[in-house]
Amino acid sequence: MQIPTQIHDLTVAQLAQQLQAGRLSAVEVAQHFLARVQNRLDLGCYVDINPEVTLAQARASDARLASGHARGLEGVPMAHKDIFVTTDFCATAGSKMLKGYRSSFDSTVTSKLGNLGVVSLGKLNCDEFAMGSSNENSAIAPVGFDAPIPVKNPWDTTRIPGGSSGGSAAAVAARLTPAATGTDTGGSIRQPASFCGITGIKPTYGRASRYGMVAFASSLDQAGPMARTAEDCALLLSAMCGPDLDRDSTSLDVPAEDYSRTLNDSIAGLRIGLPQEFFGDGLAPDVRAAVDGALKELEKLGAKPVPISLPRTELSIPVYYIIAPAEASSNLSRFDGVKFGHRAAHYTDLADMYKKTRAEGFGDEVKRRIMIGTYVLSHGYYDAYYLQAQKIRRMIADDFQNAFKQCDVIAGPVAPTVAWKIGEKSDDPVANYLADIYTLPGSLAGLPGMSIPVGFGNENMPVGLQLMGNYFQEAKLLNVAHRFQQATDWHTRKPAGF
Ligand code: GLN
């Protein structure tokens, strides 16, 4: 393939090569992206930039490149979902509660990337505490704005980019960064990747450290990369994963892996499980057509479709929307006006200070979840809701293990429809929750999952194919995705004007 001439069209892998070969400087690359970011502030992707910080990092990378001390991703720029705390930029998690907050330490994931030479372009918008599917729940005004605005999908700026990692997906699709970090609790990497026509992967739960990721639902939250190609995701995921046993009690003691090694393996004979529950009435015909096209392509590459069943798919919605709010209600108790962030200006006593601080600091969706969470955990309801949900969660995980007896990977849609219009579902939380149906089962089971662009649906909006694997099968998913991308060009399409 010919190397594109525009810096912003280069992939992470290509940028790394060009930088190592001295054909581009880190400063030149950083300046190029910073200028693009400035030109497209209207999309609302970035919530914090600081050209001085970015360029200082880029100059340090250039010095290493010049002296022969370059690290693996030296000088490659990236931006981070504003749920990762970093010392060089703000850490708001999209919440008024943390407006203007700056951390005194770096998250493990962002510092691992920094230690490989990644230059940070800034922080990206997201739904408040990662709760949402449309990025309409951010309470933070993006750079260039005085008040919060919904992040725009670069394919159609009247539509949502998906969420909660909406800023990450929109910025990658608009070439305002070559790649971004995201987090996925119930689909927040896969769904915005699908809606913006990019590639994203959520690893097995426990594979990437949660240290320094503002907690939403701790038994589900996982970090992962969002980029344009599976090859880039493999490079970045290898950098982000690995044990962090002293700082994250759920970090798995499994050594980091080089996911790039097996990208080109043949997928002849690979058994692809197609869950019948993912192809039912709820799936929009335009999305189905693109997904079917991708499955045909995989068959041409030698994969064999196998019908499977994940019988509790529908139950994953009520189960997730009990467990995630339960954990959120506990995690968010730390925002009490004392330890960090916002504190009400006027109050009468301590209890009043707590109440006013939390009433002012949290947005509607976050309050809704805190209330649901406290309700399902309360005495008298715990058994009926929380405990019951935990039991079904286990059964959902068992269903996957049964399915993996018949297949190597599972494929299906990421979301029932393409990205919807801004405002279309913003008054209807349940409509948002229902659209998570295909991403929640894998999240509840803690399995790795990814989304790759496979075509376009209604109104020419991107459609993603979801690939799910058994525990620690990230390399297999990336291999299938890479082979698909070698045979197709959906991942190279870009929105008009970018
Ligand atoms: N849409 C889901 C929710 O609102 C998932 C969000 C996520 O993965 N962070 O909770």
Side-chain angles (χ1 to χ4, degrees), residues 256-277:
E257 234 180 278
D258 176 3
Y259 298 114
S260 305
R261 225 167 28 87
T262 46
L263 283 177
N264 286 306
D265 285 4
S266 163
I267 60 165
L270 181 93
R271 296 166 306 161
I272 299 199
L274 305 177
Q276 65 179 76
E277 295 78 5

Side-chain angles (χ1 to χ4, degrees), residues 130-133 164 184-188 216 320-321 369 436:
M131 297 177 193
S133 318
S164 62
D184 192 310
T185 302
S188 282
F216 161 16
Y320 174 88
Y321 282 99
R369 300 210 188 184
D436 290 338

Side-chain angles (χ1 to χ4, degrees), residues 32 52 96 106 139 180 192 195 216 242 249 263 327 330 335 343 362 368 376 460 478 492:
H32 181 86
E52 253 171 61
K96 198 173 154 195
D106 284 296
F195 283 3
F216 161 16
S249 60
L263 283 177
E327 294 184 18
S330 163
F335 298 103
R343 177 188 293 180
F362 291 135
R368 188 175 296 126
V376 299
N460 223 20
L478 289 159
T492 66

Side-chain angles (χ1 to χ4, degrees), residues 35-47:
R36 284 183 69 80
V37 171
Q38 280 297 343
N39 275 334
R40 293 312 303 256
L41 293 178
D42 61 302
L43 295 174
C45 298
Y46 280 80
V47 290

